[in-house]
Amino acid sequence: EVTEVVPTAYMVMDKLFCILFTLELVFRVIALRGEFFNASGYLWGVFDICVIGLQLVEEIILLAAPPSQDSSAGGTNMSFMRVLRILRLIRVLRIIRIIRFMDELRTLVISIMNSMRSLFWTLALLLLGIYVVGIYFTQLSLELQLQSVTDSLVVTYFGALSRSMLTLYGAMSGGIDWDTLVQPLIDDISPVQGVVFALYIAFTVLALTNVVTGVFVEGALKSAKQEEERNMYETLQQMFFLADDKDEGMLTTEQFKSRLESSDMNRYLQSIDINPSEAHLLFELIDSDGSGNVDYAEFVGGCMRIRGAAKAIDVILLLHEVLAVRKTLDSFIEASRISLAAVASAGKTHTVSSTLKTAATKAFT
């Protein structure tokens, strides 16, 4: 028997979760104050407030006007229950909050969302191809109908353009066994049409589908990489502010070493293939000016640059610096050569003067 009565156990659990979610939101607002929207993200903050607010509204409505069991108030009661059902459906969106706390799930969801643009153009291309081929087979079916042949499967599957497009889509997606469609084309029209249909299947299944899969995979990998970079940026940002316990905007070697035991730092060191015992070298690489302190820009920028393979701009900058060092070295070598030549010339002059002085001394003696 279908009834509107909710079991008592479900009602207790529903109210318990309402209290827990409300307390969690209140505690976060009290703890973060003005940084509430910045810490969790503006959209996530608004989402939490809306979902929990709607649940509170539902509970208030239930307390103020509980659903009546009287059949005489059927119209009002049904409208009231519709409102409650809508509110309960909206509350299901709380599941989305889980995405924030599970990196793998969030990466999958974001990759799918970022693939929607590729999906749209893929469907447009597929629709265009099916439309063109559908016109061809619909024309064949029309010619068959003009010959007073109406009981053929060709007329059934290709009798109208819309039906032809649906048939072609089912054949390439597995909804219809395409051998069922080829045989009537061969028997009622021509074996050539069977070859044409087989070429259509080969193009859509072997070429178009594989290319589309490659595009989706590439887009998903790109989105996953961007999401990973964003997560790592946020992690490094949190690591810096946690290590900077004096709020000086700078990290010293001691403060950096104090964070080496944290799980975030170990995860970062694993991502760049650095052993924790060699982590002190990381600070020396980040500290580009050798001052012993790194600011926020040096820490986050240096850590992000070390991750992954070198980019084209890094290689060009390295080449530019090598050329600059080479020019400086060439200038130094040339200056050294000139200086050595001048020293050698001065040495010869001094030797000649000494010889003349010695000869004159002997002559006077």
Side-chain angles (χ1 to χ4, degrees):
E1 182 182 356
V2 179
T3 127
E4 296 287 352
V5 178
V6 180
T8 305
Y10 288 170
M11 294 179 63
V12 172
M13 292 179 61
D14 188 56
K15 289 177 171 54
L16 178 61
F17 279 111
C18 178
I19 294 172
L20 292 177
F21 283 128
T22 304
L23 289 177
E24 184 247 353
L25 179 63
V26 171
F27 288 153
R28 278 197 294 142
V29 172
I30 294 175
L32 298 174
R33 297 181 183 273
E35 296 296 323
F36 171 75
F37 291 103
N38 294 330
S40 59
Y42 179 79
L43 294 179
W44 283 116
V46 173
F47 177 79
D48 288 343
I49 292 174
C50 291
V51 171
I52 295 176
L54 288 173
Q55 185 172 6
L56 291 175
V57 169
E58 178 188 348
E59 297 298 334
I60 292 172
I61 292 176
L62 285 174
L63 291 175
S68 174
Q69 302 296 325
D70 187 6
S71 59
S72 61
T76 305
N77 192 40
M78 289 300 295
S79 300
F80 178 76
M81 294 309 298
R82 288 194 192 99
V83 173
L84 287 184
R85 290 193 192 100
I86 293 174
L87 291 176
R88 286 171 183 168
L89 285 175
I90 295 175
R91 273 169 36 200
V92 177
L93 296 176
R94 286 184 306 196
I95 299 175
I96 301 177
R97 300 178 65 209
I98 303 175
I99 298 175
R100 290 187 295 171
F101 309 107
M102 302 179 67
D103 293 339
E104 292 79 6
L105 180 60
R106 181 170 60 180
T107 300
L108 288 174
V109 173
I110 291 177
S111 298
I112 293 174
M113 292 176 62
N114 290 337
S115 300
M116 290 297 103
R117 183 177 179 181
S118 299
L119 175 62
F120 171 78
W121 291 112
T122 299
L123 293 177
L125 177 62
L126 182 62
L127 181 63
L128 179 62
I130 291 177
Y131 176 74
V132 173
V133 179
I135 291 176
Y136 174 76
F137 284 108
T138 303
Q139 185 66 32
L140 293 177
S141 173
L142 179 60
E143 293 177 358
L144 198 63
Q145 294 180 57
L146 292 176
Q147 299 174 7
S148 300
V149 178
T150 57
D151 57 347
S152 172
L153 289 178
V154 175
V155 178
T156 302
Y157 287 113
F158 302 101
L161 180 59
S162 58
R163 177 58 183 172
S164 296
M165 295 177 65
L166 180 61
T167 300
L168 292 172
Y169 176 75
M172 59 93 47
S173 61
I176 303 176
D177 185 6
W178 63 275
D179 181 66
T180 304
L181 305 175
V182 169
Q183 198 60 44
L185 291 173
I186 295 175
D187 295 340
D188 297 341
I189 301 179
S190 169
V192 176
Q193 308 308 324
V195 175
V196 173
F197 196 88
L199 290 177
Y200 161 77
I201 295 296
F203 172 76
T204 54
V205 174
L206 301 180
L208 182 61
T209 306
N210 289 330
V211 170
V212 169
T213 302
V215 171
F216 273 93
V217 170
E218 182 182 2
L221 292 176
K222 184 178 179 181
S223 300
K225 184 177 180 181
Q226 292 175 350
E227 181 65 16
E228 182 183 0
E229 294 289 333
R230 191 179 70 85
N231 291 338
M232 184 56 65
Y233 180 83
E234 293 177 353
T235 301
L236 292 173
Q237 186 179 23
Q238 294 176 359
M239 287 167 53
F240 179 86
F241 290 120
L242 289 175
D244 184 20
D245 50 3
K246 298 180 181 179
D247 294 332
E248 297 177 345
M250 302 288 290
L251 283 186
T252 62
T253 306
E254 292 74 17
Q255 290 174 326
F256 179 78
K257 290 181 179 179
S258 66
R259 297 298 303 171
L260 292 179
E261 300 299 328
S262 65
S263 59
D264 293 335
M265 178 59 78
N266 288 329
R267 185 174 63 176
Y268 171 74
L269 294 177
Q270 291 177 0
S271 69
I272 59 177
D273 296 329
I274 290 183
N275 193 294
S277 61
E278 303 173 346
H280 64 281
L281 298 176
L282 178 62
F283 188 85
E284 297 178 3
L285 293 174
I286 297 174
D287 186 16
S288 56
D289 55 3
S291 61
N293 298 318
V294 293
D295 57 14
Y296 174 80
E298 280 183 313
F299 178 76
V300 177
C303 290
M304 292 298 293
R305 180 171 292 184
I306 291 173
R307 295 186 70 249
K311 299 179 181 179
I313 186 64
D314 296 326
V315 177
I316 293 174
L317 287 175
L318 179 61
L319 179 60
H320 179 74
E321 292 177 359
V322 169
L323 291 176
V325 171
R326 181 177 178 180
K327 289 181 180 179
T328 304
L329 185 59
D330 290 341
S331 300
F332 176 76
I333 293 174
E334 182 65 21
S336 299
R337 187 183 64 79
I338 295 174
S339 299
L340 290 175
V343 170
S345 176
K348 290 180 180 180
T349 304
H350 178 71
T351 302
V352 173
S353 300
S354 299
T355 303
L356 293 175
K357 184 176 181 181
T358 302
T361 302
K362 288 181 178 180
F364 284 110
T365 303

